[in-house]
Amino acid sequence: MSTADATTPVVEPLRPIRSGRSRNHAEQWSWLFMRGSGVLLLVLIFTHLFINLFSGDGVNQIDFAFVAGKWASPVWKIWDFVMLVLAMIHGGNGMRLLINDYARETWMRKTLKTLLTACVATIVVLGSLVIFTFDPCPLDASGDLLPGVPTFCEDVR
Amino acid sequence: MWMWVVHRTTGVAIFFFLVVHVLDTALVRVSPEAYNDVIGTYKTPIYGIVEAGLVAAIALHAFNGIRIILVDTWPWALKHQRALVWVVWGLFALLMIGFLPRHLSHVFGGA
């Protein structure tokens, strides 16, 4: 024993410094979430792209009135909201894994993850507010409809 | 190995697009004209090609993601995972063959 102690360097077990791999099965949940949300996002985004970018006039049809037409239905509001939240968490979690892999310094990982969290939170909050406070028929200061509103605004007035 | 690189690069590209896409859509809360101006740039040839690249990235990431799930959960898929890589590229090619002519004619031909 004593001779081995003198020559063999003591190998300390590495502490789990990265991403809380040992914490509350956090990485297991991350793994499961990426797969579950991935399948849902495939359906949500392929449908989104088919309707907005493929059917009708494709990209040329997209303008304020097109958005107003879609968001007149609560189905598309919920659709876009679920897509927004799932995509930002899925993408944000993916970026977190890349930060863990490529940012070598602890301070760099912390800085990048703080920026990432702020970015994801801002986009989710902003996007949700835009979807649920959307006004299809905005008025100018004198109470007239702004140019570019959908034609149904005239009927509503 | 290469699909791992493809999955990471397309994932990062889609993430940054998504951030920009939420910001441009947020312009509907500024005014119809502000939104239409910015979306108008998406209808130009250069952005038309960028959109094609974006759809390509999403398709590859999605199909390869399904391959990852299958390989993780299904022994048969694990055994044939190399063949499944070609299935991913095949599905990707089919989707792009269906999408590109229509999209590019919208962008370049005003069809």
Side-chain angles (χ1 to χ4, degrees), chain A residues 97-112:
Chain A
L97 296 172
L98 294 194
I99 292 170
N100 280 340
D101 277 359
Y102 298 119
R104 307 241 172 121
E105 309 292 338
T106 307
W107 67 267
M108 180 60 95
R109 278 199 299 278
K110 283 197 168 151
T111 310
L112 289 176

Side-chain angles (χ1 to χ4, degrees), chain B residues 48-86:
Chain B
I49 292 167
V50 172
E51 282 144 26
L54 177 78
V55 170
I58 290 171
L60 267 180
H61 194 88
F63 294 147
N64 190 56
I66 298 297
R67 185 186 68 95
I68 293 172
I69 295 174
L70 291 179
V71 167
D72 278 349
T73 52
W74 189 19
W76 182 90
L78 179 60
K79 206 173 154 194
H80 297 88
Q81 64 94 12
R82 288 185 80 83
L84 286 174
V85 170
W86 291 108

Side-chain angles (χ1 to χ4, degrees), chain A residues 35 54 60 62 64 101, chain B residues 8 36 43 72 102 106:
Chain A
R35 278 145 185 83
F54 190 81
N60 294 331
I62 301 174
F64 183 88
D101 277 359
Chain B
R8 291 195 160 199
N36 290 349
K43 301 169 186 175
D72 278 349
R102 188 174 168 90
H106 283 142

Side-chain angles (χ1 to χ4, degrees), chain A residues 69-157:
Chain A
K70 272 189 93 180
W71 283 351
S73 156
V75 172
W76 288 120
K77 285 196 171 198
I78 303 284
W79 191 286
D80 287 356
F81 173 69
V82 174
M83 198 162 59
L84 167 76
V85 173
L86 285 181
M88 283 312 291
I89 299 177
H90 184 104
N93 193 39
M95 293 298 280
R96 181 186 68 86
L97 296 172
L98 294 194
I99 292 170
N100 280 340
D101 277 359
Y102 298 119
R104 307 241 172 121
E105 309 292 338
T106 307
W107 67 267
M108 180 60 95
R109 278 199 299 278
K110 283 197 168 151
T111 310
L112 289 176
K113 282 183 193 174
T114 307
L115 285 173
L116 178 66
T117 310
C119 174
V120 169
T122 307
I123 293 296
V124 168
V125 170
L126 175 72
S128 307
L129 283 174
V130 167
I131 292 170
F132 292 110
T133 69
F134 177 69
D135 177 7
C137 306
L139 305 174
D140 63 15
S142 54
D144 296 320
L145 286 167
L146 286 174
V149 296
T151 47
F152 66 68
C153 291
E154 296 289 349
D155 305 333
V156 173
R157 272 158 66 81

